[in-house]
C-alpha cells in the first residue's frame, strides 16, 4: 500500500492533462484503499482489546470462584477425614461392645429377644432372660418382658416375680436408664435364688 502511494505521489502535473488526471484517479483509489485498511486494522485492534478484556474478566471470575471453592473443598476434605476417624472409633466401640455382649451371653447367660405382645395391635416387646443365677440350677432362666409404649416403660411379665418391681419400673421411667434397670433386675433375681422360697416360676426355656 505504501509503495503504491509513493508511486502515485510522484505523479507531477504536466501539459498532458489526461495522464495527470489518470494519476490523480489512481492516487485517490489508493488513498481510499489505505483508509479501508486503516479502519480494518483499528477494528482488529478494538476486537483484540475487547477479547482481552473479556478474557481478563473471565479469569477474574474464575479466580474469584476458586477463592470461594478452595476453602470449601478444604473444609469438606477435613470433614471427610473427621467422619472417617469417627467411623473408625465407632467400629472399634462396636467391636468392643460385641465382645462385651458375647461375654454377657457366655458368663451371665444374658439373652435378649423380640417377642409379640399383642398380635391384634401388632405390638412387639423385648424379653430379657438370664441364667447362671441359681447356684445349683444354673440352666434355669429368669426373665422379664419389657414394653415401651408412648415413651413409657412397662413390665408385662416377670418370672419369678420381684416384689419391688413396680417401684423399679417407676424409677426407670424417671431416669430412662435401662442399663441400670437390667442390672437391678438381675441382682433381684440373684437375691431370690438365694432365698428359701421355691423357684417354681423359673423356666428351663428362655422363649
Amino acid at each position: 500500500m505504501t509503495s503504491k502511494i509513493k508511486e502515485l505521489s510522484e505523479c507531477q502535473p504536466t501539459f498532458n492533462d489526461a495522464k495527470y488526471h489518470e494519476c490523480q484517479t489512481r492516487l485517490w483509489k489508493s488513498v481510499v484503499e489505505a483508509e479501508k485498511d486503516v479502519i480494518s486494522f483499528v477494528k482488529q485492534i478494538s476486537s483484540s482489546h475487547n477479547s482481552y478484556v473479556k478474557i481478563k474478566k473471565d479469569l477474574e471470575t474464575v479466580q474469584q470462584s476458586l477463592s470461594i471453592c478452595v476453602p470449601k473443598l478444604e473444609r469438606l476434605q477435613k470433614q471427610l477425614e473427621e467422619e472417617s476417624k469417627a467411623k473408625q472409633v465407632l467400629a472399634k466401640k462396636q467391636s468392643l461392645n460385641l465382645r462385651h455382649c458375647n461375654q454377657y451371653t457366655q458368663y451371665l447367660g444374658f439373652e435378649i429377644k423380640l417377642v409379640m405382645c399383642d398380635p391384634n395391635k401388632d405390638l412387639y416387646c423385648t424379653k430379657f432372660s438370664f441364667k447362671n443365677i441359681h447356684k445349683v440350677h444354673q440352666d434355669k432362666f429368669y426373665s422379664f418382658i419389657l414394653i415401651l409404649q408412648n415413651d413409657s416403660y412397662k413390665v408385662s411379665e416377670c418370672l419369678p416375680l420381684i416384689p419391688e418391681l413396680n417401684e423399679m419400673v417407676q424409677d426407670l421411667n424417671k431416669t430412662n436408664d435401662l442399663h441400670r434397670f437390667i442390672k437391678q433386675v438381675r441382682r433381684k433375681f440373684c437375691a431370690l435364688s438365694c432365698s428359701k422360697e421355691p423357684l417354681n416360676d423359673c423356666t428351663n426355656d428362655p422363649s
Side-chain angles (χ1 to χ4, degrees):
M1 181 182 69
T2 305
S3 60
K4 288 182 179 181
I5 294 175
K6 183 178 180 181
E7 176 186 351
L8 294 172
S9 64
E10 292 176 351
C11 293
Q12 298 295 331
T14 62
F15 292 104
N16 190 343
D17 292 337
K19 187 175 181 180
Y20 175 73
H21 180 72
E22 182 183 352
C23 285
Q24 277 191 327
T25 302
R26 288 165 56 193
L27 179 60
W28 176 252
K29 288 182 179 180
S30 297
V31 170
V32 171
E33 290 177 359
E35 185 181 35
K36 290 180 180 179
D37 291 339
V38 169
I39 293 173
S40 176
F41 179 72
V42 170
K43 287 182 178 179
Q44 290 177 2
I45 293 295
S46 177
S47 177
S48 298
H49 177 72
N50 291 337
S51 298
Y52 168 77
V53 171
K54 185 177 182 303
I55 292 173
K56 184 180 179 182
K57 187 175 180 180
D58 292 342
L59 181 60
E60 290 174 351
T61 302
V62 171
Q63 289 175 338
Q64 201 172 34
S65 299
L66 285 175
S67 65
I68 297 173
C69 292
V70 169
K72 187 175 181 180
L73 287 173
E74 291 176 349
R75 287 195 301 270
L76 289 174
Q77 181 66 28
K78 186 177 181 180
Q79 184 178 351
L80 286 174
E81 291 175 356
E82 291 175 352
E83 288 180 356
S84 177
K85 290 179 181 178
K87 286 182 180 179
Q88 292 176 2
V89 172
L90 181 60
K92 289 181 180 179
K93 287 184 178 179
Q94 288 176 340
S95 177
L96 184 62
N97 289 336
L98 182 60
R99 289 202 300 270
H100 287 167
C101 287
N102 290 335
Q103 289 176 355
Y104 276 121
T105 302
Q106 181 178 357
Y107 298 109
L108 301 180
F110 179 57
E111 294 183 9
I112 302 176
K113 183 182 293 185
L114 193 66
V115 295
M116 177 74 75
C117 291
D118 189 345
N120 296 326
K121 297 181 180 180
D122 195 23
L123 179 63
Y124 286 86
C125 48
T126 307
K127 184 172 184 177
F128 298 84
S129 301
F130 303 89
K131 64 179 182 178
N132 298 337
I133 290 182
H134 198 279
K135 292 181 179 180
V136 179
H137 307 287
Q138 293 187 355
D139 290 335
K140 285 186 177 294
F141 277 91
Y142 296 66
S143 64
F144 69 95
I145 294 177
L146 188 67
I147 301 173
L148 178 61
Q149 193 173 20
N150 298 325
D151 295 327
S152 178
Y153 289 102
K154 181 175 69 173
V155 174
S156 64
E157 178 183 288
C158 182
L159 299 174
L161 181 63
I162 298 174
E164 304 88 355
L165 185 62
N166 289 336
E167 291 80 2
M168 293 167 61
V169 173
Q170 290 177 5
D171 184 64
L172 171 62
N173 283 313
K174 289 179 181 178
T175 62
N176 201 33
D177 192 344
L178 181 59
H179 182 257
R180 176 169 170 264
F181 176 77
I182 293 173
K183 289 195 297 183
Q184 286 179 336
V185 171
R186 191 178 191 282
R187 290 194 188 102
K188 295 295 182 180
F189 282 153
C190 289
L192 287 174
S193 71
C194 295
S195 68
K196 295 182 180 180
E197 298 178 7
L199 299 176
N200 296 330
D201 289 338
C202 298
T203 176
N204 292 317
D205 185 1
S207 61

